[in-house]
Amino acid sequence: MSQSRFTLRNRNPDVLSCIANLSNDEVFTPPHLANQVLDSITEAWSVENSGANIWSDETVTFLDPCTKSGVFLREITKRLINGLEAQFPDLERRVEHILTKQVFGIGLTRITSLLARRSLYCSKDASGEHSIVKSFDNDAGHIWFEPLKHTWKGGKCQYCGASKKTYDRDTNLESHAYAFIHTDNLKSLGSEFFASEMQFDVVLGNPPYQLNDGGGVGSSAVPIYQHFVTQAMKLHPKFMTFIIPSRWFTGGRGLDSFREQMLKDKRIKIIHDFPNASDCFPNVEIKGGVCYFLWGLTHDDDCTVTLHNGDQENTLKRPLLEEDCDVYIRYNDAIPIFKKIRAKSEESFSELVSSNDPFGFDVREKGSYKRVKPDFKLEPFKNSCEFYYNGWREKGIGHIDKSAISKNIDWVEKYKILIPKAWGVGNPANDKIRPEIFGKNTCCTETYLVVGPSNNRKELENIVSFMNTKFFHFCLALIKNTQNTSPAAYSFTPVQDWSKSWTDEKLYKKYELTESEIQVIESMIWPGGSADE
């Protein structure tokens, strides 16, 4: 077998770097990123195995349970081809051993399984005449895929939470019932998929991120990447690594238990965090960024966290949870500032922020996510109040009967600050909240949250002065890493003396921040100037 058959794909451009993503939910992994992940495994294996080279070990097994393009399996194979030359001088025998004994994948869909087989075996049919493996007797080889159905319970899949209304489809359509996370019996994984019982030493991949729940996309979709991580843990691999959205750092829909499990797991050895997802995936926006982590079965120590900002990196070995803190702080340089703020034991600004839907207008029809809009008129009428239903004062203002208000009726006759519930994308360099004071006899839809209803307008003006500072946005950025912003996102932001106005200079002095700590805030929050510009 000629060496050229294995070096052909080294020509530029690499076809796997040119494939467009299916969507922001199923993002293909660029080869350079796959190799960064594999480099982390290389180093960790060497440290924990007395300097041994994982790519020179013919017994190590690898599983990608969420194979799309096959890039991880291909790059693993290329490394093993080089590393096992001494054990298998004959190239054909070496490749046969690697692809039949060491490298395994589970396709996400039929089309991705065919793509992965083409990447790995040079043929979509693993047993075909063009395949570089000659001992397979089936077209799948060791990249398994069979269409599955969801297991419905109460209108949702009991494994992944998919909506029956959306995904109970004709058998000719893709169901997105991913095999790896739709089973209770992982012990049979090897025999069911690959015809042999086996232990996988390394489990890795870039799983699909979410499923549309029938009510929209983005924040209303159901996250599913966490299921791949928890399933992989059950296999007890020596190492595990996945590329996933960073939203789990601070929770999110259906992620609270996953976050708690991960942040308390001392086996997480490394985290590489990319607040700007395009640093990982060019031309892809994933609100809150993405990360990849390395989990080691025998690791029992702090985690080495590397924050990536373009070409800049900041690395610190630290616990994932600071003392008396249940949220992960992604910015290494922010931790000393956070500790200074917490040392004053001040009340949380979150106490001033209303719960979602402050006036009770987020009414939904039974069995549907369609909002029922309350009746309003464009002109005032008897017993009406101003009603902000979409956008700010110049658009989206109506008038509604006060009797339609079902919550916090006493707030109507007070001054209040309205802030959007969803704003920004989770990037502190660009995101800025824009608070606005509204007069008495006003209310709003669930689009907004209410801050500090008061009869004292001057007090609210001072609150707004605080909310317009970089210091305020810095505190918020310690938790907020996506667009949707619940009151809990303001938990690390301290309450101030509202009898006076606030500036960054006053706040820096109050909390005794050093010049280097001030520079952390200044470089992190709108570093090019005001976000209003």
Side-chain angles (χ1 to χ4, degrees), residues 336-347 466 469 471-472 474-475 492-498 502-514 517-518 521:
I337 306 173
F338 165 77
K339 290 180 177 179
K340 284 186 175 182
I341 296 171
R342 289 292 284 256
K344 290 189 176 292
S345 301
E346 295 169 311
E347 293 184 10
F466 175 62
T469 64
F471 178 90
F472 175 89
F474 167 81
C475 295
F492 288 169
T493 305
V495 164
Q496 305 300 323
D497 176 359
W498 304 129
W502 289 95
T503 64
D504 280 313
E505 289 70 24
K506 291 179 181 178
L507 292 161
Y508 295 158
K509 182 177 180 181
K510 173 184 174 181
Y511 292 97
E512 300 179 339
L513 302 187
T514 66
E517 290 169 340
I518 292 172
I521 297 176

Side-chain angles (χ1 to χ4, degrees), residues 155-445:
K156 300 286 185 181
C157 175
Q158 70 177 48
Y159 291 107
C160 70
S163 166
K164 182 177 182 179
K165 181 179 179 181
T166 304
Y167 291 99
D168 191 9
R169 299 170 165 178
D170 184 274
T171 54
N172 293 325
L173 298 176
E174 174 58 52
S175 68
H176 299 285
Y178 304 119
F180 187 67
I181 62 173
H182 283 74
T183 178
D184 292 319
N185 188 14
L186 277 178
K187 292 183 178 180
S188 66
L189 184 70
S191 57
E192 180 180 353
F193 295 168
F194 309 118
S196 63
E197 293 287 344
M198 60 190 319
Q199 169 68 37
F200 296 103
D201 298 301
V202 179
V203 180
L204 76 173
N206 179 15
Y209 297 157
Q210 60 192 26
L211 289 176
N212 190 328
D213 65 357
V217 295
S219 62
S220 73
V222 178
I224 59 171
Y225 59 87
Q226 72 277 16
H227 300 308
F228 285 85
V229 176
T230 54
Q231 282 287 78
M233 287 181 181
K234 296 175 184 177
L235 292 176
H236 304 292
K238 294 178 181 177
F239 288 100
M240 172 182 66
T241 181
F242 284 100
I243 304 170
I244 58 177
S246 296
R247 291 190 290 269
W248 70 269
F249 291 160
T250 54
R253 183 178 180 186
L255 294 173
D256 287 345
S257 61
F258 175 72
R259 179 194 70 202
E260 181 178 8
Q261 175 186 1
M262 291 285 283
L263 294 181
K264 292 180 178 179
D265 194 337
K266 301 287 284 185
R267 294 170 295 183
I268 298 179
K269 184 180 180 71
I270 295 170
I271 289 179
H272 284 266
D273 180 22
F274 302 81
N276 185 351
S278 63
D279 289 339
C280 254
F281 303 112
N283 304 316
V284 174
E285 181 186 70
I286 300 173
K287 291 180 173 62
V290 296
C291 69
Y292 67 86
F293 66 90
L294 180 66
W295 177 99
L297 184 63
T298 61
H299 184 72
D300 185 19
D301 199 355
D302 288 343
C303 180
T304 300
V305 177
T306 299
L307 185 74
H308 297 260
N309 182 13
D311 294 331
Q312 299 180 345
E313 297 181 0
N314 182 294
T315 300
L316 180 67
K317 187 174 182 179
R318 61 183 178 91
L320 294 181
L321 286 176
E322 295 300 314
E323 187 175 356
D324 298 324
C325 181
D326 62 355
V327 174
Y328 172 79
I329 298 175
R330 74 191 311 182
Y331 302 100
N332 293 331
D333 289 343
I335 293 175
I337 306 173
F338 165 77
K339 290 180 177 179
K340 284 186 175 182
I341 296 171
R342 289 292 284 256
K344 290 189 176 292
S345 301
E346 295 169 311
E347 293 184 10
S348 171
F349 192 87
S350 63
E351 298 298 320
L352 301 180
V353 182
S354 72
S355 60
N356 294 340
D357 185 25
F359 293 99
F361 290 121
D362 189 11
V363 182
R364 300 171 187 247
E365 295 175 347
K366 185 176 182 181
S368 171
Y369 286 100
K370 180 180 178 181
R371 289 177 174 83
V372 179
K373 293 183 179 179
D375 292 329
F376 63 88
K377 302 181 184 302
L378 295 181
E379 300 297 330
F381 56 93
K382 185 178 180 179
N383 199 44
S384 69
C385 68
E386 291 184 352
F387 174 65
Y388 294 90
Y389 57 90
N390 183 26
W392 295 113
R393 188 177 295 273
E394 67 274 14
K395 59 179 180 178
I397 178 174
H399 299 268
I400 193 167
D401 195 310
K402 293 179 184 178
S403 64
I405 299 171
S406 61
K407 290 169 60 178
N408 301 313
I409 186 66
D410 58 311
W411 291 359
V412 173
E413 296 303 326
K414 294 182 178 180
Y415 296 108
K416 59 191 70 70
I417 299 169
L418 295 190
I419 55 175
K421 178 185 174 185
W423 55 276
V425 296
N427 182 355
N430 300 308
D431 291 357
K432 187 180 190 301
I433 195 170
R434 289 173 170 79
E436 185 172 339
I437 298 175
F438 286 76
K440 298 181 179 181
N441 201 39
T442 58
C443 67
C444 62
T445 67

Side-chain angles (χ1 to χ4, degrees), residues 111 152 304 457:
I111 191 171
W152 305 119
T304 300
R457 183 182 176 92

